[in-house]
Amino acid sequence: MFFLPAALVGRALGRIPRLRGVRDLLILGLPVLVAFGMQIPALLDRIQPERRFERLAGVAFPAEAVMLDYRSISAGIDYSVEFEFRASEEALRQLVDDLGWGEGNLRGSTEEFHLDHDHGGFSKLTINWMSGVAVFEYVDV
């Protein structure tokens, strides 16, 4: 979907007299640059998943929290992202307050908070109060 327009732009640029010698490189190279450019946000999210957490949750990632695991699964236009992190009880309670989700569903030492989105997806925060481990899941469908 993005490669054909990039190739057409490369072809148009290749018609410029100064660039005729590198026309084939432009036609093939611009789609390759587009393909690599589309991977940059995913690479940055892999390096700093806290930034993606903040974009998806709409609140700051707890300052003292330690990211344990980050998973991102994309299937066409649907995707899910899961963040697993450890933080103190105070930081986790502050996160719940910041999210504004109110009371959760308490099951033993684990509490689950759930929010449905207008567009069909949902967010879920599961906190194990005994271990201080929380899992924030964002699903967009």
Side-chain angles (χ1 to χ4, degrees), residues 28-103:
L28 296 173
L30 282 178
V32 170
L33 284 175
V34 168
F36 283 121
M38 292 172 60
Q39 298 304 314
I40 290 173
L43 178 63
L44 292 175
D45 287 342
R46 182 71 48 198
I47 294 170
Q48 289 183 318
E50 296 84 3
R51 288 182 9 175
R52 187 160 191 200
F53 174 90
E54 291 174 357
R55 278 196 318 270
L56 294 175
V59 298
F61 186 74
E64 65 172 56
V66 176
M67 188 69 67
L68 301 174
D69 197 10
Y70 165 77
R71 291 181 288 282
S72 178
I73 301 167
S74 179
I77 59 171
D78 300 339
Y79 67 93
S80 70
V81 184
E82 193 173 289
F83 305 89
E84 184 176 350
F85 55 93
R86 176 176 282 124
S88 70
E89 182 176 340
E90 296 156 359
L92 292 174
R93 290 199 188 280
Q94 183 63 48
L95 176 63
V96 171
D97 288 344
D98 291 348
L99 289 168
W101 290 359
E103 295 296 316

